[in-house]
Amino acid sequence: MNRILTTIRKSKEMNILLVLIVISIIISIFNGSFLTMGNLLDVVKSNIVLAIMSMGMLLVLLTGGIDVSIASVISAVTVVVGQFMVHVSSNIVLVFIVGVLAGSLMGLINGLLIAKLKIPPIVATLGTMSIIFGVVLYLTNGTWITGIPQNFIDFGRVTIGKFNVAGSDQPTGIPIQFLFLVLAAALTWFILKYTVIGRGIYAIGGNKESAERIGINSDNLTLFVYVYEGFLIGLAGVVHTSIMRQVDPNAFIGFELQVIAAVVLGGASVLGGYGSVFGTLVGVSLFCVINNGLILMHIPVYWQKIVVGVVLITSISVDVIQKRMQEKKNVRVDIDENIQRFARTSVSKEVKTQA
Amino acid sequence: MAQNMLLEMHHVSKTFPGVKALQDIQLEIQHGEIHALIGENGAGKSTLIKILSGVYQPDEGAEIFIDGELQKDITPLGSLKHGIAVIYQDFSLFPNLTVAENIAMVSRIGRKTKIINWKETHNIAKNALAKLELELPLGTTLSELSVAKQQLVAIARAFVNDVKLIVMDEPTSALSRGEVESLFSIIRNLKERGISILFISHKLDELFAISDRFTILRDGKYIGTFGEEELDDDRLISLMVGRRIEYKIFDKRTLNDPLFEVHNLNKAGNFKDISFTLNRGEILGITGLVGAGRSELAQAIFGLSPSDTGEILLDGEPLHIESPEQSVAHGISYIPENRLTEGLVLKKSMTDNICLTVLNKISNNRGLIGKEAQHELVDTWIHDLNIKPNLPNMIASKLSGGNQQRIVLSKWLATEPKILIVDEPTNGIDIGAKADIHQLLRDLSEQGMSIIVISSELPEILAIADRVLVMRRGRIAATLDGKNLTQEEIMKEAL
Amino acid sequence: MEQNTQQTVENEKKGLRKLFGKFHLETKELVLLWIFLGIFILMSIISPGRFLSVYNLQSMAYQFPEFGILALSMMVIIVTGGINLSITYSATLASILGAVVMVSMNKAGAPELASVLVGVFIIIVASLVTGAVNGLIVAHIGIVPMLATLGTMTLFEGISLNITKGGAISGFPNMFQWFGNSSIIGIPVPLFIFVLVIIATYFILQRSTFGAKVYMIGCNPTATRFSGINVKKTLFLLYVYSGLLTGLAGLVMASRYNSAKESYGYTYLLQSVSAAVLGGTDISGGFGKVFGTVISVLILQVISSGLNIFGVNRFITDVIMGMILILVLTINFINNKREEKALVTKKIVTA
């Protein structure tokens, strides 16, 4: 039991979970409607896209990389998917395939620039971001794509289960989009925990040189990470379209920083090697709950950014300071505490030097 | 003969951009022998190991046989498959993963199944540890273990595969005496089981204690392979360096003009009850085993990690030093042990490095650097310390170890310190340069500078120190007079 | 006659070289300068009437200073191996705070000059404070710059939004327009401010002892600390300086647009990183020259105005900008490889 308690206290994820719980309690004290099924479902539904994309960003951060192009990639995916549905086919399966392929392809480009041409991730993805956003906005001229086929709209409205919600006459259910989040999280968790690729990602994040020495191909793993991230963004793009039922090419400007902030809140290190699916989900939840709570507490929407900024800075500061305290405590020299024995040898020494 | 050999390497050469690291090297290792690979820093030992482990490919013409079989294109994976496991000086482990996973990681690479079985992972780790008769907490994250235990993890990792040869690169450099003893008993145990060990170390006493045969490299060339009975310390050293080491022994002075006094300095987990006096114009040696707290003491005095309690007096005045900035202002300089990461900014030029400590001396009152003052300063030091090549804009990383150390010395001497603390002043530099640095330190002390030399190399301490402090497990074990001092007397106190 | 002209040309060349030598231009910056001149000439040839027109040159001269100042505020931080994501929101937060005071003073009937002076003063002080906040978090607490400035970026944006409620603040005294829209002896005031910033940054970074410390910290903070340099203090001051530059950019933008809003200049954030990297600043720290960044700013400005004049879609310009960035880095990569190889073969031949 004691051991379990210490692991809980030690684990970063648990700390964040604790913060999440405390904040949730505070919010529900101020506003009873926070902990209602209806509100929680709304929170979930409006943050599914963020959550799916954080799974991809988690992998990137684990390798010690960063990707600032994700907002442009999801914009491009939604446009591709929108045009495909309007002009070609609205077959649900085909739509998913197209979205995922588009996302993966853009991820591949990032991956090649980073893994093969060794361009620093932040610079490479800055470049692709500029290119992809440019192409998207040029082709769409920033106009919305509407007229999404009815079958896709219907698909987006599917819910699982039916239950009554306080304050609403209509019974609701869990939105189908939630299923994709579960799928993405489960797949990412499985890859990270149970595949050679996933453990390799942790290994190169922990110590790249050591990983290469034992034969792990870090270039290929890096490539995989960016392609997989693109794949998830593709999925998120289709999910987003099914929720919004239209495509706004400008919807995601600035979104990359929200995703990075959520993943970092979840305990992932930007230096690589540390982070988990569970932590990321908690981080995303914390991010969403804060935003939702502020709305419920009738705090002006402009406060959201301030709160997120402050929470981000404090959570990382606490982490850094804790680590520094621990390092200070580290014993570097195994000091001889046996003073009596020690004194004896010293005395004999003095006698000798005097003689 | 050849059938007996586990490993044969012939005509191994390796060229890097700008350097021929290895030329026509050969190495033969028998089954169940402990073989020492020795040479000075830069002799090519690490490169040879990296070729053996498949990290580097040798130049054309190399022949490598494992169990009499010619190997082409050794890869890191192939090398492991052939039962060769390398334990690097930095262990090559993953600080963010558990002990079990660190050990079992190698078993996963190159297998058909890409899915991980955690039960199997734990079993692999447990079995590997069992072969060594060791117990370690499998679920603990590696970064939480001590260095000695991390090394055991690295050794255990070798036992995941059917290991025939374990290569150990400087395995004892981070271990305490007791830990070295237990490592040696493990190595002897392995030998009895027919496993060969290729052991790389700088410490001759350790090499003689454990090795059967010695292969010596010098400047990337093969010097020879000898049995234990053919060699003694002197012969081995002369083969390593090309000639016998004969440090000039300076006459020892007895001084009584205290400049710097330390009283009851304590720092938890670093050192305890440290008191000593440094006289004007004296060279005070501080020695002891690695991990005795020598560098920690020096860094506390210099303000890098200030001590918890205690008193420091300079010229009878109490000093409160909390940062290196303050100690520099008080005329205290510290030359750290690790030249490459702490002493120099490797990617910057000689000029930039030398000027870093004396920026205020080469600038005007508005804080702008005067190019002429800068050139003058750098030229003076290049000339005075005979730094080669005479190219102030040359990047520090491109210089030899001896010249790099001269740059570090220049940058600190430029501050005109009253007290110079040098940590391992001649670590990894060639013998000629060592003698020059000894002479320089002596000259400086004769000009009135007080110098503390921290060194593990006893001949060095014996050559230049007027008095010697021996540290043991965080305390000063003895203060010895430098006159007629012997290595044995120091070692008795240090152990 | 011919000989004479030749001599003048040579003299000019010498003069140029001397001038460059004085400003420590190295080959990298020279190549950039040639690229700039090449593009400029190319644009002029393609469209002499419009690109080379007084109107276009003037409008460029009013446009790029704000970008250039922000690029330098980014560049000085990249030299330390960090990144400052908060630059544009720091600029707009400072200008919003100044704007609020200026507008209310104006409404209360204070003299124009007094409200403008107080407004500018507040902009400068606010930008120093934003810089100090960044410096405190990065240098003293020790958070990775990217995350620290990601946090402060969100924070500054939030504070700005709280003040403006999402709108823009306008109604400045007329005199305030001077900073963005007037000229001194034909030189636009923004350009004038930019030149001052260039000179100041050049002296601080490349000529002063402070700058020497900054470059060394960018390469190896440990060795720098071991050399008795106060790394924390140096970093802190540099972030304050970076903040000050954002304040100047905010001042110019608010004056040019005659209003203050939190989103002004947001697109400059990533372009600033581009300009610094294109200009030869090493993203991992320790290397980079002020003039390289300045010339890159000019290159990016000439390309975007040129393309704009030719009627190229603004978004295609973004695409081209991104491609230039990636192309330059790819060329760097290939060059490095080739150099390595050349070195090996040379050594083998000599051996």
Side-chain angles (χ1 to χ4, degrees):
Chain A
M1 187 61 203
N2 247 344
R3 197 194 260 170
I4 296 171
L5 274 178
T6 31
T7 30
I8 287 175
R9 220 175 303 137
K10 262 189 189 166
S11 149
K12 228 174 176 181
E13 283 93 348
M14 288 303 166
N15 283 338
I16 310 157
L17 189 63
L18 209 68
V19 174
L20 176 64
I21 293 169
V22 170
I23 288 183
S24 301
I25 292 172
I26 294 173
I27 295 172
S28 44
I29 290 172
F30 277 93
N31 191 322
S33 58
F34 172 72
L35 271 183
T36 58
M37 203 49 157
N39 182 53
L40 290 181
L41 278 179
D42 274 351
V43 174
V44 167
K45 193 167 179 181
S46 51
N47 290 293
I48 285 172
V49 171
L50 175 74
I52 296 178
M53 285 168 80
S54 337
M55 292 295 119
M57 184 60 79
L58 169 66
L59 260 68
V60 171
L61 291 188
L62 279 176
T63 62
I66 187 100
D67 186 351
V68 294
S69 74
I70 52 171
S72 65
V73 173
I74 191 170
S75 274
V77 169
T78 53
V79 168
V80 168
V81 166
Q83 296 288 1
F84 181 79
M85 277 192 284
V86 174
H87 297 294
V88 186
S89 154
S90 62
N91 179 308
I92 306 283
V93 176
L94 268 184
V95 169
F96 270 100
I97 290 174
V98 167
V100 158
L101 275 182
S104 309
L105 186 70
M106 285 179 270
L108 179 69
I109 293 169
N110 277 332
L112 288 174
L113 292 174
I114 293 160
K116 302 291 174 188
L117 291 182
K118 311 285 180 210
I119 299 179
I122 181 136
V123 185
T125 54
L126 267 181
T128 50
M129 165 180 155
S130 180
I131 294 173
I132 296 171
F133 256 139
V135 171
V136 167
L137 294 177
Y138 172 69
L139 292 179
T140 60
N141 212 0
T143 51
W144 293 29
I145 301 170
T146 49
I148 299 292
Q150 193 57 42
N151 70 327
F152 190 74
I153 291 177
D154 292 341
F155 164 75
R157 285 187 175 141
V158 173
T159 54
I160 302 157
K162 244 191 192 141
F163 35 84
N164 290 311
V165 177
S168 160
D169 301 334
Q170 293 214 312
T172 66
I174 294 166
I176 178 109
Q177 288 85 359
F178 186 69
L179 212 60
F180 291 96
L181 169 58
V182 173
L183 203 76
L187 182 62
T188 310
W189 175 78
F190 180 80
I191 289 176
L192 286 181
K193 174 105 193 181
Y194 285 107
T195 69
V196 174
I197 290 176
R199 299 323 290 176
I201 290 169
Y202 276 104
I204 61 172
N207 188 339
K208 192 170 171 190
E209 203 184 4
S210 303
E212 283 170 357
R213 276 182 192 157
I214 62 169
I216 293 175
N217 189 328
S218 70
D219 283 0
N220 284 354
L221 278 182
T222 307
L223 198 59
F224 168 83
V225 163
Y226 285 92
V227 173
Y228 179 73
E229 188 206 21
F231 165 84
L232 286 183
I233 298 174
L235 189 68
V238 181
V239 167
H240 175 80
T241 313
S242 77
I243 296 174
M244 304 310 287
R245 300 171 208 129
Q246 59 207 4
V247 173
D248 170 10
N250 283 309
F252 288 99
I253 288 175
F255 195 62
E256 66 275 359
L257 297 176
Q258 286 186 42
V259 176
I260 295 169
V263 179
V264 170
L265 269 187
S269 157
V270 277
L271 302 176
Y274 295 91
S276 69
V277 170
F278 175 67
T280 303
L281 288 176
V282 177
V284 171
S285 312
L286 184 58
F287 192 85
C288 306
V289 164
I290 291 172
N291 280 341
N292 180 253
L294 291 174
I295 294 168
L296 292 182
M297 286 154 82
H298 302 292
I299 291 170
V301 63
Y302 309 117
W303 277 94
Q304 283 182 19
K305 295 254 174 190
I306 298 181
V307 173
V308 169
V310 169
V311 168
L312 190 64
I313 294 169
T314 21
S315 74
I316 305 166
S317 300
V318 167
D319 202 42
V320 169
I321 292 167
Q322 260 178 357
K323 233 177 239 163
R324 203 178 306 153
M325 306 265 265
Q326 208 152 22
E327 251 161 51
K328 266 197 185 155
K329 272 195 217 145
N330 269 1
V331 173
R332 300 215 280 174
V333 175
D334 175 20
I335 292 182
D336 195 337
E337 294 296 349
N338 190 347
I339 296 175
Q340 284 203 323
R341 186 180 78 91
F342 195 85
R344 206 169 49 236
T345 60
S346 293
V347 169
S348 70
K349 187 73 254 157
E350 260 165 42
V351 172
K352 193 178 154 195
T353 36
Q354 271 168 10
Chain B
M1 177 78 185
Q3 298 90 313
N4 261 333
M5 289 295 169
L6 168 63
L7 172 78
E8 288 172 80
M9 299 174 89
H10 298 292
H11 312 299
V12 177
S13 300
K14 176 70 187 172
T15 313
F16 288 114
V19 219
K20 236 173 173 333
L22 294 177
Q23 291 176 53
D24 202 17
I25 301 292
Q26 73 177 60
L27 175 67
E28 293 183 341
I29 297 175
Q30 295 165 358
H31 287 281
E33 77 163 335
I34 300 175
H35 195 112
L37 180 63
I38 48 182
E40 289 192 293
N41 280 354
K45 294 165 296 183
S46 308
T47 312
L48 187 63
I49 293 170
K50 285 189 177 159
I51 287 175
L52 180 58
S53 66
V55 174
Y56 292 155
Q57 294 302 315
D59 295 347
E60 206 108 329
E63 288 174 350
I64 299 173
F65 298 89
I66 297 173
D67 277 332
E69 224 176 282
L70 181 64
Q71 305 294 322
K72 281 178 203 161
D73 296 336
I74 296 187
T75 59
L77 203 57
S79 164
L80 279 172
K81 286 252 165 76
H82 284 107
I84 298 173
V86 180
I87 300 167
Y88 290 94
Q89 200 173 349
D90 62 7
F91 306 155
S92 282
L93 296 170
F94 306 100
N96 55 335
L97 303 181
T98 62
V99 169
E101 200 168 9
N102 265 293
I103 295 174
M105 185 64 86
V106 285
S107 71
R108 294 172 181 163
I109 314 298
R111 272 205 316 195
K112 264 200 186 138
T113 166
K114 301 294 180 202
I115 304 298
I116 299 213
N117 179 340
W118 282 94
K119 213 171 180 184
E120 189 195 351
T121 299
H122 276 255
N123 284 337
I124 288 172
K126 214 185 268 172
N127 290 339
L129 286 169
K131 282 186 206 166
L132 284 164
E133 291 160 21
L134 285 175
E135 263 186 55
L136 287 172
L138 288 178
T140 306
T141 308
L142 186 84
S143 57
E144 289 171 23
L145 296 186
S146 70
V147 175
K149 284 191 174 157
Q150 291 190 17
Q151 183 177 45
L152 295 178
V153 173
I155 295 174
R157 190 161 79 174
F159 284 83
V160 169
N161 290 327
D162 213 2
V163 67
K164 292 177 198 152
L165 170 65
I166 299 180
V167 183
M168 293 186 182
D169 190 356
E170 297 277 0
T172 59
S173 58
L175 300 187
S176 70
R177 193 77 203 174
E179 288 164 343
V180 170
E181 283 304 327
S182 59
L183 175 67
F184 279 7
S185 73
I186 289 173
I187 290 178
R188 291 197 188 95
N189 186 344
L190 296 177
K191 178 188 168 176
E192 273 166 31
R193 286 196 251 159
I195 294 168
S196 312
I197 309 280
L198 181 60
F199 194 87
I200 297 161
S201 173
H202 274 104
K203 299 177 187 162
L204 299 188
D205 54 336
E206 287 178 9
L207 288 170
F208 279 112
I210 201 161
S211 309
D212 301 319
R213 294 201 304 156
F214 296 77
T215 289
I216 301 169
L217 304 184
R218 188 202 310 153
D219 301 330
K221 295 187 191 94
Y222 174 72
I223 301 302
T225 301
F226 305 89
E228 188 207 346
E229 66 290 346
E230 296 172 72
L231 293 172
D232 56 27
D233 274 21
D234 290 345
R235 175 120 196 268
L236 184 61
I237 291 167
S238 70
L239 287 168
M240 259 166 74
V241 299
R243 58 188 159 100
R244 277 166 175 277
I245 297 185
E246 264 172 22
Y247 288 140
K248 180 182 168 193
I249 308 284
F250 294 94
D251 60 306
K252 302 301 186 296
R253 301 156 296 190
T254 311
L255 298 153
N256 197 4
D257 181 10
L259 171 69
F260 185 72
E261 291 164 64
V262 170
H263 296 301
N264 296 317
L265 222 54
N266 285 298
K267 187 170 168 66
N270 288 267
F271 48 79
K272 197 161 188 178
D273 294 338
I274 303 289
S275 302
F276 66 87
T277 308
L278 176 66
N279 293 304
R280 229 174 285 270
E282 182 184 38
I283 297 184
L284 177 66
I286 298 184
T287 189
L289 300 171
V290 172
R294 302 166 307 173
S295 301
E296 289 77 8
L297 173 63
Q299 297 193 356
I301 293 172
F302 189 59
L304 281 161
S305 48
S307 55
D308 302 335
T309 58
E311 196 184 20
I312 298 176
L313 302 176
L314 178 64
D315 263 333
E317 299 285 318
L319 275 189
H320 294 285
I321 291 177
E322 307 253 290
S323 72
E325 230 185 335
Q326 291 169 341
S327 39
V328 174
H330 283 113
I332 302 174
S333 290
Y334 170 62
I335 297 183
E337 177 181 3
N338 195 333
R339 190 163 54 235
L340 304 181
T341 60
E342 294 165 352
L344 285 170
V345 179
L346 277 181
K347 287 194 216 159
K348 289 288 182 181
S349 66
M350 263 189 217
T351 304
D352 289 338
N353 274 291
I354 293 176
C355 294
L356 184 57
T357 50
V358 283
L359 288 169
N360 54 342
K361 285 192 185 173
I362 53 162
S363 59
N364 62 16
N365 48 10
R366 270 170 296 175
L368 294 184
I369 294 174
K371 287 283 159 195
E372 267 165 33
Q374 194 178 22
H375 288 316
E376 207 175 297
L377 177 89
V378 173
D379 285 344
T380 312
W381 286 109
I382 288 180
H383 176 261
D384 286 3
L385 293 195
N386 195 18
I387 301 173
K388 283 174 188 162
N390 178 4
L391 299 170
N393 289 326
M394 190 147 165
I395 305 301
S397 62
K398 294 190 174 160
L399 294 165
S400 71
N403 282 305
Q404 285 179 343
Q405 188 69 333
R406 285 188 177 98
I407 291 183
V408 183
L409 277 161
S410 318
K411 93 175 192 192
W412 282 113
L413 295 179
T415 65
E416 297 170 21
K418 291 183 211 156
I419 297 166
L420 179 69
I421 307 171
V422 271
D423 201 345
E424 301 288 355
T426 61
N427 196 359
I429 64 183
D430 63 70
I431 182 80
K434 280 186 183 185
D436 290 350
I437 286 175
H438 290 168
Q439 184 66 50
L440 176 72
L441 292 175
R442 174 70 181 201
D443 291 349
L444 290 168
S445 72
E446 273 164 16
Q447 289 160 24
M449 194 182 288
S450 303
I451 299 174
I452 297 176
V453 174
I454 299 171
S455 178
S456 303
E457 205 186 327
L458 296 182
E460 177 165 283
I461 291 284
L462 294 177
I464 57 173
D466 296 314
R467 275 189 308 142
V468 181
L469 294 184
V470 184
M471 285 189 76
R472 183 181 70 219
R473 295 181 63 189
R475 292 165 179 272
I476 293 183
T479 308
L480 306 171
D481 191 342
K483 280 181 196 123
N484 305 321
L485 193 62
T486 62
Q487 291 200 32
E488 290 72 23
E489 284 175 87
I490 295 178
M491 279 321 284
K492 245 189 278 165
E493 300 297 338
L495 292 179
Chain C
M1 176 75 192
E2 202 169 82
Q3 221 177 3
N4 222 346
T5 39
Q6 213 170 355
Q7 209 162 18
T8 4
V9 169
E10 264 179 23
N11 275 345
E12 265 176 16
K13 265 192 184 166
K14 264 189 200 160
L16 270 178
R17 216 172 284 154
K18 247 190 182 169
L19 189 73
F20 291 157
K22 237 188 175 153
F23 289 121
H24 304 286
L25 286 195
E26 283 171 17
T27 33
K28 246 186 200 167
E29 282 81 46
L30 273 183
V31 170
L32 280 171
L33 195 61
W34 291 127
I35 292 176
F36 167 68
L37 290 176
I39 294 173
F40 193 88
I41 291 167
L42 189 75
M43 295 282 182
S44 308
I45 291 171
I46 299 176
S47 176
R50 285 190 294 167
F51 181 79
L52 215 50
S53 68
V54 177
Y55 172 77
N56 182 49
L57 293 182
Q58 271 209 332
S59 78
M60 280 204 294
Y62 279 100
Q63 255 172 43
F64 74 80
E66 58 198 40
F67 169 37
I69 298 169
L70 283 174
L72 285 178
S73 79
M74 176 66 85
M75 178 263 184
V76 295
I77 300 299
I78 294 183
V79 167
T80 68
I83 195 161
N84 187 352
L85 296 176
S86 72
I87 52 169
T88 68
Y89 287 118
S90 157
T92 50
L93 174 58
S95 67
I96 286 169
L97 288 172
V100 169
V101 174
M102 201 159 38
V103 169
S104 53
M105 278 179 76
N106 200 29
K107 272 187 192 153
E112 270 201 19
L113 184 65
S115 13
V116 169
L117 285 181
V118 171
V120 171
F121 177 74
I122 288 182
I123 292 178
I124 300 299
V125 171
S127 66
L128 291 172
V129 172
T130 59
V133 170
N134 280 327
L136 203 71
I137 299 174
V138 172
H140 290 278
I141 299 182
I143 298 184
V144 188
M146 189 170 65
L147 289 182
T149 55
L150 175 66
T152 54
M153 163 189 182
T154 323
L155 184 67
F156 298 156
E157 185 190 1
I159 297 172
S160 297
L161 280 171
N162 241 330
I163 298 169
T164 63
K165 307 294 174 213
I169 293 178
S170 53
F172 301 147
N174 280 334
M175 209 181 270
F176 186 67
Q177 294 236 347
W178 182 80
F179 293 100
N181 299 318
S182 304
S183 59
I184 307 171
I185 42 167
I187 303 169
V189 175
L191 184 57
F192 195 72
I193 296 176
F194 183 36
V195 170
L196 288 181
V197 165
I198 295 171
I199 295 171
T201 312
Y202 165 73
F203 276 101
I204 289 174
L205 208 58
Q206 284 169 241
R207 294 289 296 279
S208 77
T209 56
F210 177 79
K213 294 176 199 168
V214 169
Y215 281 103
M216 297 305 251
I217 290 171
C219 272
N220 185 341
T222 312
T224 312
R225 193 167 86 91
F226 271 66
S227 303
I229 305 293
N230 191 333
V231 171
K232 285 183 184 174
K233 186 174 140 200
T234 310
L235 268 183
F236 177 80
L237 288 176
L238 191 70
Y239 274 91
V240 172
Y241 182 69
S242 176
L244 173 66
L245 294 191
T246 67
L248 293 175
L251 172 68
V252 170
M253 284 194 286
S255 171
R256 243 166 52 77
Y257 307 148
N258 203 16
S259 62
K261 191 177 189 309
E262 97 291 343
S263 61
Y264 285 166
Y266 180 66
T267 50
Y268 292 137
L269 171 58
L270 302 175
Q271 285 186 33
S272 296
V273 180
S274 288
V277 172
L278 279 182
T281 314
D282 188 338
I283 195 91
S284 48
F287 298 89
K289 297 272 158 67
V290 171
F291 283 94
T293 307
V294 172
I295 298 167
S296 301
V297 166
L298 290 175
I299 292 176
L300 294 177
Q301 178 65 41
V302 167
I303 291 176
S304 76
S305 317
L307 293 176
N308 186 28
I309 282 174
F310 305 148
V312 174
N313 185 296
R314 166 169 89 85
F315 301 123
I316 290 299
T317 310
D318 288 347
V319 175
I320 293 172
M321 296 287 176
M323 284 182 165
I324 292 173
L325 181 64
I326 288 175
L327 200 70
V328 167
L329 286 165
T330 311
I331 292 170
N332 278 354
F333 172 75
I334 295 168
N335 271 348
N336 285 347
K337 278 247 150 147
R338 198 182 294 156
E339 260 171 40
E340 245 169 54
K341 255 187 198 161
L343 208 57
V344 178
T345 39
K346 205 171 119 195
K347 282 288 163 177
I348 290 174
V349 170
T350 46

